[in-house]
Structure formats: structure tokens, C-alpha cells
Amino acid sequence: MATVEFNYSWLPGQTRRKQQDELLFNALRAIHNTGSVQHGAREIGLSYRHVWGMLIKWQAMLNEPLVTMERGRGTRLTPFGEKLLWAEQRVNARLAPQLESLAAELEREFQTVLNSGAETLRVHASHDLALSQLRDLVNRDDGSPRLDVSFMGSQESLASLVRGHCDLAGFHVSEQESKATLAHLAYRRWLRPRTQLLVHFVGRQQGLIVARGNPLKIRGVKDLTRSRVRFVNRQGGSGTRLLLDQLLWDGEIDKARINGYDNEEFTHLAVAATIASGGANAGIGIKAAASRYNLDFIPLVNERYFLAVRKESTHSPAFKSLLAALKSGEFAAAVAGLPGYEAAKCGELVSIKDALPWYASTPQEKVK
């Protein structure tokens, strides 16, 4: 099976740029975390001489210092070094899902041309870190069914399933969900109890992501209206945006009072990276994203992430292979390594009404 990978480079004109970029940012991250070039070099498996030489070379190319050494305080990144590190993480968080989706699309085209015997399951889904790990696990072995994952909003994912554009659709709902909530009203157009089933995927924590140490003492969504808070939101149509809007509705909070409500990112990691880089000081997302960037997290709800599938698709060998991967010890271990996640029911196939007791059949709107 032909594989496609996209990367980006920070500076043109030199060979092996990607490897050099990765080494630089790994070194900056390690120095930021340890406060020492020596300890940082050890953390990433390089010699002190190698890391220091690399820093000198990059400082000359950029014409800006990246680190500063102070007696008794070790080594710190300069303001420029901090901005460069966080800018790279923000760019990566924003571009990675789009590049992965494009690579998957091209891989699918190659598979068609080469007439590969491996069946592909197309997954359109709300952004999730465990789903990325599942994709990597399933696609690791040549000849086995492959997962083609494209990240988009929960509503768009369910619409794709109904329109036949994908085989599974990933969406998430709060465990406290009930009838007449925004999620219920949004999802009922696309959920089909007679023709669809749900696969339990993971449970995860959603909440507010804030700067390390929570300097603004943010405790809940009401604090988002304070003048000093700069918020970063998820895009319209995402399940996380529905969750926030529901919390604002329940708390009788006017979204117009939130500075940054219309400042949107398309993934949990991009929200966290924006906060880590200083572009905002609060956002909404999953605990694992906050942990990835060493940020504080204020839990708001526990939620269930499901994969919706057409009933007739559940008899295919590819789908059965997917269920086996979901129930595997290897995937359970991967999920256990994500803060705020659990996989107690992972791989269970259930009806919509059993999985979502608050859901009630309603006359379906005409699909456009």
C-alpha cells in the first residue's frame, strides 16, 4: 500500500530541513521544560556539544538569540525562543489534521489505481486524539483493512454518513445530555435509529483550558465574560461548540460578552496551542490537549464519543476487524495514556435509543 506524508519547513534553501527543524524544536522544548541545555540534551538523547552547536547555528541564521544563561538560574529560552517554540506548536496543531486528511485522500486514490486488495473504511469524525491513535494502529499492518480518517465537525460528520460519503461518523455528547438540548436538536436530523447503530468509542473529559497556573483564577464559563479574559473557541458545527453554547444557555450568559467567542480553531490541539503561545488565555477543549501543552484544565463535563454506522455495514469483514482493534489490549493501553480518557465500553455495538436514552424519534427533515 502506497503511503503519503506531508510536512512543512520553517526555512527554505537547505537539505534535510525537516530533520533539522524537528531537532531544533525538540531541543527548545526540552530546554524550556528542564531549564538546562545539558539536561535538555539528555532528555532528547543528544550530547551537550551537539545541542549547543545547533543553537549557535540557528541563532546565526535567525539573527536572534534563542537561549539565555544566568548564574544560579540555569538556561532559559529568550522571548524570541519562546515565541518560536509556541508558534511551531500552534502551526503544527492547526495544519496536522488537514495534512493528514489530504494524505489519506491521496492514499485512497493510489489504492484505487494500484487495485490494492485492502478494504478501506472511511471515517468522518469530530477531532479526537484517540481516533488518531486508532488509525495509526489499524493502518500499521499492510493487507489489513485501513482507516481513512478525515476530521470535521460532529454535525458535518453525521451528515456525511447519511449522504453516503463515509462509512462511519464520529460525534460526541455529554453524559448529562437530555431532550431539547442543542445537541439533541442538532443531531436528531442525522441520527437514524432504524438504519444506524452506534459503536462505543471512548469517554473523555471536556472543560476549560487555561494558562499554566491559571493566573486569572478562572473557575467556570461565567468567568469567560471578564474583561481580561481572551477566549479561543471551536468552530461552528463542532460538538464542542454545541457544548459551550449549551453551557452558556444554561447559565444565562450572553456570548456577546465573551472576548474571543468568534475566534475559532478547528481542533482541540489548536485551541491548546493558541493558549500556550499567548494568543488567548482560555479556551474549551479536552483534558488531553491541555496536558499535551502543559496547561491547566478545569473539568466541566464527562462525555461519550460514538462512531455511527449503517446497520448493513456491520457485517463486513473490515468492520469486524475494526471492532477487534477497538477491543484490543494495545488500543486500551493507548487510550489509558491519554489524560481524561477511558475506554470501558470501547467496541460495544448498541442501538441509538440504548446509547442515548434522551433521544426520541422525530419526523426526519428532508436531507439536502
Side-chain angles (χ1 to χ4, degrees):
M1 172 65 188
T3 59
V4 177
E5 180 180 355
F6 289 103
N7 293 294
Y8 60 88
S9 176
W10 279 83
L11 290 176
Q14 294 192 24
T15 59
R16 299 176 62 194
R17 171 59 57 198
K18 175 178 181 290
Q19 292 87 343
Q20 294 179 26
D21 286 353
E22 288 180 350
L23 284 178
L24 171 68
F25 290 115
N26 287 342
L28 292 178
R29 190 176 302 109
I31 294 170
H32 173 79
N33 292 338
T34 65
S36 163
V37 175
Q38 182 176 357
H39 293 161
R42 186 181 301 125
E43 184 175 281
I44 61 177
L46 296 175
S47 69
Y48 173 88
R49 182 188 298 270
H50 185 112
V51 171
W52 188 244
M54 178 176 58
L55 290 172
I56 292 175
K57 180 163 56 173
W58 275 92
Q59 287 177 154
M61 290 190 332
L62 297 170
N63 198 31
E64 288 284 349
L66 297 175
V67 297
T68 180
M69 304 179 71
E70 299 180 10
R71 185 181 299 274
R73 299 186 61 183
T75 304
R76 296 183 295 112
L77 299 186
T78 63
F80 179 81
E82 290 277 2
K83 284 294 183 182
L84 184 63
L85 174 61
W86 294 126
E88 189 276 338
Q89 295 192 335
R90 189 172 178 182
V91 168
N92 183 62
R94 181 176 291 180
L95 290 183
Q98 300 176 47
L99 295 179
E100 289 171 1
S101 295
L102 180 57
E105 180 180 338
L106 292 179
E107 284 183 5
R108 186 169 62 251
E109 295 298 326
F110 279 123
Q111 182 177 349
T112 301
V113 172
L114 297 174
N115 195 26
S116 171
E119 188 176 352
T120 297
L121 289 174
R122 300 164 300 164
V123 183
H124 290 182
S126 176
H127 181 244
D128 182 73
L129 301 186
L131 189 54
S132 294
Q133 296 200 1
L134 176 66
R135 177 201 57 211
D136 295 342
L137 172 64
V138 171
N139 293 349
R140 185 178 58 196
D141 299 324
D142 289 338
S144 62
R146 298 182 61 81
L147 280 189
D148 176 351
V149 178
S150 295
F151 288 122
M152 58 191 69
S154 289
Q155 295 177 71
E156 187 179 358
S157 298
L158 289 170
S160 291
L161 181 66
V162 171
R163 292 166 177 157
H165 297 164
C166 65
D167 302 301
L168 296 105
F171 71 103
H172 52 96
V173 295
S174 166
E175 291 183 353
Q176 291 77 43
E177 208 64 71
S178 60
K179 289 184 180 180
T181 59
L182 295 177
H184 176 218
L185 297 175
Y187 292 157
R188 70 178 182 182
R189 181 181 181 189
W190 306 111
L191 289 173
R192 305 284 195 270
R194 293 182 181 179
T195 60
Q196 297 171 350
L197 293 172
L198 299 183
V199 180
H200 276 288
F201 185 49
V202 293
R204 60 186 196 179
Q205 280 189 315
Q206 283 258 38
L208 295 178
I209 301 174
V210 298
R212 183 68 177 170
N214 193 10
L216 296 184
K217 306 302 180 186
I218 295 170
R219 303 301 179 198
V221 292
K222 288 185 178 180
D223 295 325
L224 300 179
T225 61
R226 295 189 342 221
S227 60
R228 294 178 60 196
V229 176
R230 291 172 293 117
F231 187 70
V232 56
N233 208 346
R234 284 294 303 280
Q235 82 277 16
S238 67
T240 300
R241 178 67 162 264
L242 283 174
L243 169 63
L244 174 66
D245 287 347
Q246 186 65 56
L247 293 172
L248 295 178
W249 176 269
D250 293 342
E252 299 182 347
I253 301 168
D254 183 0
K255 63 184 181 183
R257 296 178 59 201
I258 299 177
N259 177 21
Y261 177 88
D262 294 322
N263 178 19
E264 299 179 346
E265 290 290 352
F266 283 78
T267 69
H268 296 284
L269 291 179
V271 168
T274 298
I275 297 166
S277 67
N281 44 37
I284 187 164
I286 56 175
K287 183 176 182 178
S291 178
R292 179 77 61 89
Y293 287 91
N294 200 29
L295 299 168
D296 280 16
F297 179 78
I298 302 160
L300 295 176
V301 299
N302 294 321
E303 62 178 14
R304 302 301 311 178
Y305 193 113
F306 296 99
L307 298 173
V309 60
R310 290 181 292 274
K311 288 182 179 180
E312 65 266 23
S313 299
T314 61
H315 304 295
S316 72
F319 180 77
K320 293 178 180 179
S321 177
L322 174 63
L323 289 187
L326 287 170
K327 297 176 182 179
S328 69
E330 186 173 1
F331 182 63
V335 174
L338 294 171
Y341 274 73
E342 57 88 7
K345 298 182 179 180
C346 187
E348 292 184 13
L349 192 62
V350 294
S351 71
I352 291 176
K353 291 182 179 179
D354 286 341
L356 308 174
W358 47 266
Y359 184 87
S361 292
T362 57
Q364 301 296 338
E365 298 182 35
K366 184 178 180 180
V367 178
K368 299 180 181 179

